Amino acid sequence: MNRISHWIDGKVVESNSGRSAVVYNPATGEQSGAVDLASVDEVEAAVAAARAAFPEWRSTSLSRRAEVMFRLRELVDANRKEIASMLTAEHGKVLTDALGEVARGLENIEFACGIPQLIKGEYSEQAASGIDVYSIRQPLGVVAGITPFNFPAMVPMWMFANALACGNTFVLKPSEKDPSVSLYLAELLAQAGLPAGCFNVVQGDKVAVDAILEHPHIAAVSFVGSTPIARYIYETGTANGKRVQALGGAKNHMLVLSDADVDMAADAAIGAGYGSAGERCMAVSVVLASESIADELVAKIAERIPQVKVGPGNEAGNEMGPLITGEHRDKVRGYVDAAPAEGAAVVVDGRDGVPEDGFFLNPTLLDHVTPDMACYRDEIFGPVLSVMRVSGYQEGIDTINANPYANGTAIFTRDGGAARQFQFDVQVGMVGVNVPVPVPVSYYSFGGWKASLFGDTHMYGPEGVNFYTRAKVVTSRWPDPATSTIDLGFPETR
């Protein structure tokens, strides 16, 4: 049985906590390994290693830090198929989707390669007579990342690439559901030349999470997950004096206006709703269809669903794999079970024809959904697409803005004026115009509004650099000692 342990101070460390969790192959439903669950003492050991490594790493030149990122970039690129295979084995997503995850994570490492440019400060010569003022950005110290099961390679790369490049040391607590890739990334970082102790992995559950949130020597915590846990992470972390960015859940809408290309919108709904079995915080889970084209759009989505090939992620040709666990599959299925009693129409029933083995649920399409239904209110996080019919633009925008989640949204239209007004009116952090999953490229930043984000800083990109550093302003004077005098007045610049 494969045992997945911790990575502390540059090496694999097996746990002595006496606790472990089962790791499954979601395509078969069988156990594939066991992951150690850290004790508080083991979290302490990881933080101690990171603290010990920090002084040398923060004093390492920017050029050297960039060199490590460049080497890491080459190693991840060379081993992307191996990483993707690990993702498929433990998460269940198909290989093409897993390769896409690696590619998007790699973009963040590429961004971090530019750290000498990204971390430059500002300088004002002669701010006052003989006085110069300049600003610099310095690392925080030991920082931590708590990452979700749905992107076990990409989301850690969102965090640690910028954090390490800025001069911090890092402690990662990955999801216990698919933990193996975290150790593989640790090995690649070591091969890239990152000193021991700069990157540590503690496998674990709530015990490890709470130890991180309460640890006095962790300066900042990054998190991606559900809204209830994001709120807990934010409130607990900030109560313990930490800087926290906590990305929560989503209920992403796609507004399709009457002038839209209906075939294009139907294709987009399939990809955005069922890709990665809907286990994406940027998945479209609600299509707001203008009444005049709603019947046509629902019919076109329904006729495309049978073309989606569902099966084990490691088999060529499959486009959608299983859900992460049997428990989660049953929870998602429960929303489909309840939909008819609430008044929704099950147009395509994903409970039918599922493979006997594994944690599968086929793509499901619900129509005539209303805001009071559980399938609309909750983040389902599975391959269930709901269609809500709206009179047009204004009802669509009002529906989106009334929702407590505000992660991503999209509009499909041929009207440039409507699209421009939409991006102005909509109260959501990431907006797509004829783009169903508007995940920003690495040189912008990722994050939603309202209940989709706790904290003031979005993930990766320029805001990621700011999150992992703090500003310092220096005012300097190098006077001629012969002219030095005592002045008790308030400093003036004129």
Side-chain angles (χ1 to χ4, degrees):
M1 184 63 64
N2 183 35
R3 181 176 180 180
I4 304 111
S5 302
H6 315 305
W7 178 279
I8 299 174
D9 202 19
K11 59 184 180 295
V12 173
V13 176
E14 293 187 351
S15 176
N16 58 15
S17 70
R19 299 189 309 122
S20 64
V22 174
V23 177
Y24 291 99
N25 179 343
T28 64
E30 298 175 349
Q31 181 176 356
S32 62
V35 58
D36 291 338
L37 300 178
S39 65
V40 172
D41 288 343
E42 287 163 340
V43 174
E44 175 61 44
V47 176
R51 287 187 70 201
F54 175 65
E56 180 180 353
W57 181 242
R58 77 155 293 192
S59 64
T60 299
S61 70
L62 289 171
S63 296
R64 169 65 178 149
R65 286 187 235 156
E67 182 182 10
V68 171
M69 289 297 112
F70 273 109
R71 288 178 177 172
L72 178 63
R73 189 262 171 216
E74 294 307 308
L75 287 166
V76 172
D77 182 48
N79 293 280
R80 63 172 71 203
K81 291 183 179 179
E82 177 68 20
I83 298 171
S85 295
M86 296 174 73
L87 297 176
T88 295
E90 289 187 353
H91 175 274
K93 63 181 65 178
V94 298
L95 277 171
T96 52
D97 195 23
L99 286 166
E101 174 182 346
V102 177
R104 292 309 298 265
L106 194 59
E107 290 179 8
N108 290 274
I109 297 174
E110 292 169 347
F111 178 80
C113 289
I115 196 63
Q117 171 70 22
L118 298 170
I119 209 169
K120 287 197 306 183
E122 298 176 325
Y123 194 100
S124 296
E125 184 182 46
Q126 204 70 357
S129 181
I131 293 178
D132 303 328
V133 180
Y134 56 96
S135 66
I136 54 179
R137 300 202 69 88
Q138 295 183 328
L140 304 177
V142 180
V143 299
I146 302 169
T147 56
F149 73 81
N150 59 329
F151 289 104
M154 182 184 73
V155 173
M157 286 189 268
W158 282 6
M159 300 174 184
F160 73 68
N162 279 339
L164 293 171
C166 288
N168 302 281
T169 53
F170 200 90
V171 176
L172 172 65
K173 204 303 285 184
S175 171
E176 64 274 25
K177 294 181 175 67
D178 42 15
S180 291
V181 73
S182 62
L183 295 183
Y184 192 77
L185 291 173
E187 292 174 357
L188 294 184
L189 280 160
Q191 292 177 37
L194 186 72
C198 290
F199 182 79
N200 304 274
V201 179
V202 285
Q203 312 290 355
D205 54 7
K206 190 176 185 296
V207 172
V209 169
D210 286 342
I212 287 169
L213 295 176
E214 296 167 5
H215 201 290
H217 297 125
I218 292 178
V221 176
S222 300
F223 171 82
V224 176
S226 69
T227 285
I229 305 303
R231 182 181 287 109
Y232 175 80
I233 296 288
Y234 179 75
E235 292 176 351
T236 308
T238 54
N240 282 278
K242 304 187 190 312
R243 182 180 290 188
V244 180
Q245 54 179 184
L247 276 60
K251 198 69 180 178
N252 303 318
H253 300 73
M254 187 175 101
L255 175 58
V256 184
L257 298 186
S258 58
D259 68 331
D261 183 323
V262 179
D263 284 303
M264 179 182 180
D267 289 339
I270 292 289
Y274 305 126
S276 197
E279 292 177 326
R280 294 172 176 166
C281 67
M282 287 294 284
V284 167
S285 56
V286 181
V287 174
L288 300 176
S290 296
E291 283 284 4
S292 60
I293 52 92
D295 287 342
E296 180 185 6
L297 179 59
V298 169
K300 287 183 178 293
I301 295 173
E303 72 184 19
R304 284 163 167 77
I305 287 177
Q307 302 171 28
V308 177
K309 296 180 180 178
V310 179
N314 60 357
E315 293 183 5
N318 287 336
E319 298 168 301
M320 194 187 96
L323 280 79
I324 186 70
T325 63
E327 180 183 14
H328 183 57
R329 175 205 56 201
D330 294 344
K331 179 182 176 182
V332 174
R333 183 181 179 124
Y335 287 100
V336 185
D337 294 340
E342 291 189 301
V346 181
V347 179
V348 178
D349 194 336
R351 297 169 295 183
D352 297 334
V354 294
E356 292 183 3
D357 298 324
F359 309 136
F360 289 93
L361 183 69
N362 287 331
T364 298
L365 180 62
L366 306 179
D367 194 8
H368 299 288
V369 171
T370 57
D372 58 308
M373 297 178 184
C375 59
Y376 178 79
R377 293 193 314 269
D378 299 344
E379 182 185 27
I380 297 177
F381 221 61
V384 179
L385 186 63
S386 298
V387 176
M388 182 183 297
R389 295 167 181 245
V390 295
S391 58
Y393 175 87
Q394 193 57 53
E395 186 179 357
I397 199 79
D398 290 345
T399 300
I400 296 170
N401 288 346
N403 195 276
Y405 296 108
N407 207 44
T409 190
I411 185 171
F412 277 70
T413 180
R414 289 185 174 96
D415 186 336
R420 186 179 185 279
Q421 190 64 37
F422 181 79
Q423 61 85 27
F424 181 82
D425 290 337
V426 75
Q427 297 170 15
V428 175
M430 293 170 283
V431 180
V433 176
N434 297 317
V435 174
V437 185
V439 177
V441 291
S442 63
Y443 40 90
Y444 285 83
S445 296
F446 180 102
W449 291 6
K450 299 192 287 189
S452 294
L453 174 71
F454 297 86
D456 300 320
T457 308
H458 289 167
M459 199 77 67
Y460 70 72
E463 291 191 54
V465 172
N466 290 341
F467 179 78
Y468 291 120
T469 58
R470 53 189 167 191
K472 182 182 287 183
V473 178
V474 181
T475 302
S476 67
R477 177 172 61 183
W478 300 98
D480 181 347
T483 65
S484 179
T485 60
I486 295 174
D487 184 355
L488 301 183
F490 193 84
E492 297 181 2
T493 57
R494 291 180 175 83

